[in-house]
């Protein structure tokens, strides 16, 4: 027995509404999850700012190329479409000017992308000096050691070692020596700089200079085992006075336990 057309229409409308509602819930959940995630498009250092600017520049170039190519495709589809009274469109072959143009144009675009990329990469290359001048305080040296599945931060000049979080002063260059004791990991704090691998038996170097105070979250960006997703860390960017107070607190003698605490 065939269903009534009105019933089929109502059934289809209900299914479409359910599908739309489901997609809206998924989108809302995704946006809620991304709201608290660290974003490379909210830079808090001069390094991350350079990376953001390069990303946007290349995106705009790619968007321009896309619009031009798609525009020519739409134009060709309309201008040279087959007409009802025409069995075969007029054939055009061997236009040297066009061939030179569509060969030279991509080469020019790639040259521009190469130049802007190399400028940014040159700026971000490891340089153990402050970018603002010799009058600045010397760079803060931090040794980053990746473990399965936690991060060790060693201040060799201060005699301080922390786990899964470290503190730096705003405006001061921070030199990072990045290592691993087991497998390949990848250090990444999106709002402070780019990714850099932590490789066993090898030390990689990078640097950053924070421009604003706050707490900035990082993550291992290389799958390194079952607990990879939990391999997170936090960078506390503080004023110079706050940083010195933190250093003093870290160097303070550990209180000797007494009473029930001493007995465990």
């Amino acid at each position: 027995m065939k269903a009534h057309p009105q019933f089929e229409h109502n059934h289809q409308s209900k299914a479409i509404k359910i599908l739309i509602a489901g997609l809206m819930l998924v989108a809302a959940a995704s946006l809620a999850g991304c709201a608290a995630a660290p974003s490379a498009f909210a830079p808090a250092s001069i390094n991350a700012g350079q990376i953001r600017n390069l990303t946007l520049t290349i995106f705009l170039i790619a968007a321009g190329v896309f619009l031009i190519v798609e525009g020519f495709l739409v134009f060709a589809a309309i201008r040279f479409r087959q007409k009802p009274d025409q069995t075969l469109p007029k054939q055009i072959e061997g236009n040297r000017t066009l061939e030179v143009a569509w060969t030279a144009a991509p080469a020019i675009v790639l040259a521009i992308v190469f130049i802007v990329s190399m400028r940014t990469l040159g700026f971000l290359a490891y340089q153990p000096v402050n970018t603002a001048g010799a009058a600045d305080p010397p760079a803060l040296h931090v040794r980053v050691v990746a473990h399965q599945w936690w991060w060790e931060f060693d201040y060799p000049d201060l005699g301080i070692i922390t786990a899964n979080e470290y503190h730096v002063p705003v405006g001061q260059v921070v030199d990072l020596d990045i290592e691993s004791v087991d497998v390949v990991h990848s250090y990444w704090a999106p709002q402070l700089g780019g990714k850099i691998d932590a490789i066993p038996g090898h030390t990689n170097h990078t640097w950053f200079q924070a421009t604003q105070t706050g707490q900035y979250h990082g993550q291992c960006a290389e799958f390194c085992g079952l607990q990879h997703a939990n391999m997170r860390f936090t960078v506390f960017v503080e004023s110079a006075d706050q940083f010195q107070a933190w250093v003093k607190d870290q160097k303070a003698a550990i209180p000797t336990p007494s009473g029930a605490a001493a007995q465990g």
Side-chain angles (χ1 to χ4, degrees), residues 55-200:
T55 301
L56 292 178
T57 299
I58 293 179
F59 174 80
L60 290 175
I61 293 174
V65 171
F66 173 81
L67 291 175
I68 293 172
V69 172
E70 292 302 314
F72 275 118
L73 285 175
V74 172
F75 170 78
I78 296 175
R79 174 66 177 80
F80 300 105
R81 70 188 186 279
Q82 183 176 356
K83 299 177 181 178
D85 59 345
Q86 186 179 16
T87 57
L88 186 65
K90 181 181 178 181
Q91 301 300 297
I92 301 175
E93 182 181 356
N95 190 316
R96 181 173 297 178
T97 302
L98 282 177
E99 292 176 357
V100 171
W102 67 49
T103 301
I108 294 173
V109 171
L110 290 176
I112 294 173
V113 170
F114 175 78
I115 291 171
V116 297
S117 298
M118 290 306 297
R119 287 182 60 186
T120 301
L121 290 173
F123 177 82
L124 296 176
Y126 175 69
Q127 47 183 8
V129 294
N130 285 11
T131 58
D136 289 344
L140 178 67
H141 182 207
V142 180
R143 179 171 168 260
V144 181
V145 184
H147 301 256
Q148 288 181 311
W149 289 273
W150 63 284
W151 294 93
E152 174 188 346
F153 298 100
D154 177 13
Y155 297 76
D157 300 329
L158 300 176
I160 297 173
I161 298 178
T162 62
N164 293 332
E165 66 175 52
Y166 70 106
H167 296 238
V168 299
V170 66
Q172 185 173 348
V173 170
V174 181
D175 285 340
L176 300 178
D177 294 337
I178 300 177
E179 310 168 17
S180 172
V181 298
D182 36 55
V183 299
V184 176
H185 301 273
S186 185
Y187 171 95
W188 188 33
Q191 292 177 269
L192 297 176
K195 302 175 186 177
I196 185 164
D197 285 343
I199 302 173

